[in-house]
Amino acid sequence: MLWELYQQTQIAGAKASADVAAEQSRGVKTEIHQIKRRADRQALTTMAIWALLSEKLGVTEADLEAKIREIDLSDGKLDGQVRVETNTCGQCNRKLSKRHTKCMYCGAEAGRTLDHL
Ligand SMILES: [Zn+2]
């Protein structure tokens, strides 16, 4: 009798865990679908921009390749990726590009904290 009760509790616990996992899986699938849609939209936009640049301004594939290489190397590594280094605003805690001397959200000087104001 006690063993049966224990088993029923274990089964209920396992079912609850499976339900949670299934729900998480649905959430991940939805997120992947949204990311794929955004990537597709970005690819479409990039193709449209490229078509306009080449048709209207005569920009060549070589120009594009050179600019891709230049931007890729801007973080010091030719690795097909762009990494943007960030600072954290000492006043509002938002992420900032290292290029900015002032926080674009609150206007604080980049690198300064409230302690220094
Ligand atoms: Zn700020």
Side-chain angles (χ1 to χ4, degrees):
M1 182 72 182
L2 266 179
W3 177 248
E4 215 168 278
L5 188 63
Y6 172 76
Q7 281 189 322
Q8 300 251 337
T9 306
Q10 291 294 96
I11 290 167
K15 185 175 181 333
S17 294
D19 289 347
V20 168
E23 183 61 35
Q24 287 173 337
S25 173
R26 277 192 291 275
V28 169
K29 279 183 187 168
T30 300
E31 199 171 334
I32 289 170
H33 180 73
Q34 289 168 346
I35 290 168
K36 188 178 178 311
R37 282 183 57 106
R38 284 207 317 251
D40 287 347
R41 180 75 189 157
Q42 286 178 337
L44 187 61
T45 302
T46 301
M47 290 168 74
I49 290 169
W50 172 245
L52 285 170
L53 284 172
S54 59
E55 288 167 18
K56 304 260 183 204
L57 301 175
V59 178
T60 66
E61 291 274 344
D63 295 331
L64 180 63
E65 287 297 327
K67 185 54 77 176
I68 288 171
R69 184 179 167 85
E70 177 190 323
I71 292 172
D72 190 351
L73 277 168
S74 67
D75 62 3
K77 289 179 217 144
L78 188 64
D79 57 2
Q81 298 175 10
V82 177
R83 288 188 185 80
V84 179
E85 290 189 43
T86 58
N87 281 332
T88 301
C89 176
Q91 186 159 312
C92 71
N93 267 342
R94 289 186 166 117
K95 295 283 182 204
L96 307 171
S97 165
K98 285 198 170 192
R99 292 179 294 128
H100 294 118
T101 56
K102 282 190 172 185
C103 175
M104 60 191 272
Y105 302 103
C106 73
E109 291 291 325
R112 294 182 69 185
T113 65
L114 268 178
D115 297 335
H116 300 114
L117 296 175

